[in-house]
Amino acid sequence: MLSKSNARFFFLGGTIVTFAIFLGLSWRTLSVDVPRQTNAQDITPEVVRGKHLWESNNCMGCHTIFGEGAYYAPELTKVMERREEAYVKLLLTSKEPWAPRGRKMVAYGFSDQEAADLIAFLNWCGKADLNGFPAKPKYQHLNTNK
Amino acid sequence: MRYQSQKVAYWFFALSMLLLSLQIIYGFIMGFAHLGYDNLHDFIPFNTARAVHTNLLVVWLLSGFMGAAYYIIPEEAEQELVSVKLAYVQLISLAVVGVVAIVGYHFNYWEGRKFLEIPRPLDFLVVVNVLLFLGLILATLFKGKKRTTTSLVLSMGLLFAALLYLPGMIWFDNQTMDSFFRWWVVHLWVEGVWELIMGGILAFLLIKITGVDREVIEKWLYVIVGLTFISGILGTGHHYYYIGTPKYWLMIGGIFSALEPLAFLGMALFAIAMYRKGEKRHPNKVALNWTLGTAIVSFVGAGLLGVAHTIPQVNLYTHGTLVTAMHGHLAFWGAYAMINLAIISYTMPNLTGRKLYDTGNGTLAFWLSNIGMLGMTVAFGVAGVAQVYLERIVGMEFGVVQQEISVHFAILIVCATMFTVGICVYIYEFVKYGRPSDEAIYLTN
């Protein structure tokens, strides 16, 4: 029958082994794989400023990027493929609240430079290799909206 | 209660109740916004409501855990808390940091990283606050006569939770790396060390309520927290499927996430088995309901619903949709909200000396809130699955799909109202107990 000290050994041993594996894999992921898959060399000062704007305005509070965030507004990883750059710029610099289909977005009224930074960030995001996310819709051809 | 200093717990629980009420209000703001009624947009836009809703959740749960620790540790260590005054300082500073952060969110002062929106300067205050809390708990534990497994597991959970907050504070230029470490905080909290805290509190409650021998309960506690870590640490991989991290995480995350329900299943079987084995019939039925409830609902919400959408092939489509909100609601409710409500229900008669647990209100609160939350989960689930098919498989535009599924948010709001009535009854009972009293030391055991 399992004794308390066996149980403690299972807990401590299991934790140490899995955590060691986790640390090893994390090291490999961060040092080799992520820089390659995300084109780390393309992270320009503009992209960094864009990321800062993305965070300081909590864009993730409505949108998702890489599928992470909130589910109130569209996923933006591939937004620069879906939309014209001029459209995105207009939306970001608009001083009037944007409300596609009645759902309002805060009117941030960004400057041209800020809009360019955010677009650089979104362009960088769109080029990252996300293992196939977002998947291409299977029945896109049946959809009359496009 | 046995020690005067345990009374501190009451104020942490009171803060929890206050923040929980606020959290629900912001939830309604978001529910109505999804339905098309975003009338508060100019003052509380969706991203503000969202950050407030999730951060209040984190702070009220933490406040509850801290209260639980201030109650449990002196009793387990057979030692008064080393400083009651500092515990109050810690309580007030926790409340102040929480309030400043939440007010800040209304003025675009935040760091928009899901769940970790607290701005960097306030992060440092959080660290100081948690260090003070840990200092008090650990000093009491080491000064005490006894170091039980229950108190050690609880303290380890709290200590690791504090340590894991730190990686989330490192700045990265790369969004993927940022996310990678954000999950070290968020995932390793909720699917790792918080389960240690939950397990510790659950073991304490089972020892008190069922009267089963401590050695038996604590042995199984080790097995359960062992299963938690073995599955949960590498289970972090399910957050690394589609964020710019390599493909081997699909396999590792998939396998270990599939094992994650085992820990919760273990917890549920453990609670039920101990209840059936126990010969003692504790009169506090309300606390018993919440204790067994948390073990069972966490298995369904965190375990089953979790694994349902962490299968990589499924997650490719459900990632970043309302399906996540479905799992999130029942998981947090079952595992962490309910364990807090369980320990509060158990301790209130002991803190105040008033044995008010025999009223029907306690049972009413339990069932209304649970049925309400289950209804909300189903509403989120239906909306989420419909969203996945229409948007991700058929390829309809986001906004069109949102209009199609908005009706489910009407159902969500009806269920949320039921849930809220349950919580109101719970808080009414909490208030009715009144303040903690020294006389309670002699009245309870």
Side-chain angles (χ1 to χ4, degrees):
Chain A
M1 188 58 191
L2 183 80
S3 70
K4 193 171 170 184
S5 62
N6 291 149
R8 190 191 301 127
F9 178 76
F10 169 73
F11 163 58
L12 291 174
T15 303
I16 292 166
V17 170
T18 46
F19 197 63
I21 297 172
F22 180 66
L23 283 181
L25 286 171
S26 294
W27 178 259
R28 157 89 200 184
T29 297
L30 294 169
S31 59
V32 181
D33 302 309
V34 169
R36 184 173 40 82
Q37 278 187 242
T38 61
N39 311 306
Q41 71 283 356
D42 297 341
I43 302 177
T44 59
E46 271 186 318
V47 174
V48 175
R49 286 199 302 269
K51 176 174 180 277
H52 182 72
L53 282 170
W54 171 268
E55 284 177 5
S56 57
N57 292 290
N58 193 17
C59 304
M60 245 192 195
C62 294
H63 293 276
T64 46
I65 192 94
F66 296 173
E68 296 182 336
Y71 321 115
Y72 191 63
E75 160 46 61
L76 294 181
T77 309
K78 299 279 182 197
V79 68
M80 301 312 294
E81 284 179 21
R82 287 199 303 269
R83 302 285 191 189
E84 296 290 325
E85 189 171 316
Y87 172 90
V88 178
K89 189 180 166 191
L90 182 69
L91 189 154
L92 289 171
T93 51
S94 167
K95 294 209 165 43
E96 294 297 315
W98 199 259
R101 299 184 196 279
R103 193 167 277 188
K104 286 182 205 142
M105 172 169 159
V106 176
Y108 287 102
F110 289 119
S111 68
D112 285 355
Q113 178 62 52
E114 286 171 327
D117 291 342
L118 267 166
I119 288 169
F121 172 67
L122 291 170
N123 267 321
W124 172 81
C125 286
K127 294 198 179 78
D129 172 6
L130 305 183
N131 300 337
F133 179 85
K136 288 256 177 290
K138 243 188 230 171
Y139 300 107
Q140 184 86 61
H141 58 285
L142 298 177
N143 182 11
T144 49
N145 274 311
K146 290 272 166 185
Chain B
M1 76 182 166
R2 296 205 180 131
Y3 299 90
Q4 240 183 353
S5 51
Q6 285 176 295
K7 282 193 298 184
V8 180
Y10 171 84
W11 296 101
F12 281 86
F13 295 152
L15 178 65
S16 280
M17 294 294 101
L18 180 71
L19 300 180
L20 165 62
S21 320
L22 279 173
Q23 191 208 350
I24 293 173
I25 293 172
Y26 280 83
F28 272 105
I29 294 174
M30 285 193 284
F32 277 107
H34 267 282
L35 201 54
Y37 300 100
D38 59 345
N39 306 43
L40 291 172
H41 174 82
D42 292 342
F43 315 100
I44 309 173
F46 189 89
N47 58 350
T48 297
R50 154 80 186 220
V52 174
H53 183 69
T54 51
N55 280 256
L56 279 172
L57 169 73
V58 175
V59 181
W60 89 254
L61 293 178
L62 282 177
S63 177
F65 289 156
M66 287 169 172
Y70 282 129
Y71 184 91
I72 294 172
I73 296 295
E75 194 151 319
E76 289 281 298
E78 299 184 3
Q79 159 77 37
E80 288 280 3
L81 207 61
V82 286
S83 167
V84 173
K85 224 181 248 169
L86 283 177
Y88 282 115
V89 170
Q90 195 250 317
L91 168 75
I92 292 164
S93 60
L94 176 74
V96 169
V97 172
V99 169
V100 170
I102 279 149
V103 172
Y105 297 164
H106 292 77
F107 298 96
N108 211 20
Y109 179 56
W110 47 22
E111 195 177 83
R113 299 158 71 229
K114 190 177 175 183
F115 300 122
L116 303 181
E117 286 89 350
I118 292 186
R120 207 51 62 99
L122 288 179
D123 271 341
F124 291 102
L125 289 179
V126 172
V127 171
V128 173
N129 183 276
V130 173
L131 283 178
L132 177 58
F133 164 73
L134 281 175
L136 289 170
I137 290 297
L138 295 178
T140 307
L141 191 63
F142 286 108
K143 218 174 139 190
K145 296 182 192 76
K146 275 190 187 161
R147 274 167 224 159
T148 63
T149 301
T150 301
S151 62
L152 286 176
V153 168
L154 178 62
S155 307
M156 258 174 84
L158 294 163
L159 178 67
F160 287 141
L163 285 177
L164 282 170
Y165 191 69
L166 303 176
M169 290 170 63
I170 311 168
W171 167 267
F172 291 99
D173 290 340
N174 188 324
Q175 177 68 20
T176 298
M177 294 208 185
D178 202 301
S179 239
F180 192 90
F181 282 106
R182 198 168 52 78
W183 290 117
W184 277 39
V185 188
V186 180
H187 173 91
L188 290 177
W189 266 18
V190 299
E191 279 152 88
V193 296
W194 279 25
E195 281 184 57
L196 231 62
I197 300 172
M198 181 194 175
I201 298 175
L202 189 67
F204 177 80
L205 284 167
L206 289 172
I207 290 168
K208 297 288 170 183
I209 293 176
T210 65
V212 172
D213 183 44
R214 174 185 287 276
E215 285 299 300
V216 177
I217 288 187
E218 291 183 339
K219 177 176 83 182
W220 291 108
L221 176 63
Y222 271 133
V223 174
I224 287 160
V225 293
L227 282 175
T228 299
F229 273 168
I230 289 169
S231 61
I233 293 173
L234 287 167
T236 316
H238 63 232
H239 296 288
Y240 299 159
Y241 291 165
Y242 306 116
I243 63 165
T245 35
K247 282 210 167 95
Y248 48 78
W249 288 110
L250 293 170
M251 193 179 70
I252 295 163
I255 292 169
F256 284 88
S257 304
L259 296 175
E260 277 189 52
L262 283 183
F264 284 106
L265 178 66
M267 200 125 41
L269 294 177
F270 163 66
I272 293 166
M274 293 304 126
Y275 166 65
R276 295 175 75 165
K277 189 178 160 90
E279 283 160 13
K280 185 167 147 191
R281 285 286 170 258
H282 197 282
N284 191 342
K285 289 278 183 308
V286 176
L288 179 69
N289 278 348
W290 287 107
T291 304
L292 293 180
T294 189
I296 294 165
V297 181
S298 63
F299 169 60
V300 178
L304 289 183
L305 292 183
V307 83
H309 88 124
T310 50
I311 300 164
Q313 294 85 338
V314 173
N315 193 254
L316 177 62
Y317 292 95
T318 58
H319 180 48
T321 65
L322 289 160
V323 170
T324 313
M326 163 202 71
H327 158 57
H329 277 79
L330 200 66
F332 269 104
W333 167 252
Y336 302 121
M338 284 179 77
I339 190 75
N340 266 313
L341 300 180
I343 188 78
I344 294 173
S345 297
Y346 170 75
T347 55
M348 285 306 281
N350 302 347
L351 286 165
T352 60
R354 298 178 194 93
K355 300 190 172 177
L356 302 177
Y357 38 66
D358 227 4
T359 65
N361 276 350
T363 314
L364 184 71
F366 176 82
W367 288 108
L368 277 180
S369 55
N370 269 293
I371 295 170
M373 182 52 85
L374 269 175
M376 285 166 68
T377 307
V378 172
F380 269 124
V382 174
V385 171
Q387 181 193 4
V388 168
Y389 276 97
L390 295 178
E391 190 189 324
R392 300 280 174 91
I393 296 183
V394 176
M396 284 165 71
E397 200 194 315
F398 178 87
V400 179
V401 175
Q402 291 294 310
Q403 282 177 331
E404 285 300 319
I405 63 175
S406 70
V407 60
H408 302 298
F409 283 86
I411 311 288
L412 179 84
I413 287 169
V414 172
C415 298
T417 307
M418 186 173 177
F419 171 79
T420 308
V421 174
I423 295 298
C424 288
V425 175
Y426 188 95
I427 294 175
Y428 170 74
E429 287 293 298
F430 179 87
V431 173
K432 229 170 64 182
Y433 268 111
R435 305 274 173 83
S437 149
D438 283 342
E439 285 171 31
I441 294 173
Y442 309 104
L443 288 171
T444 48
N445 51 41

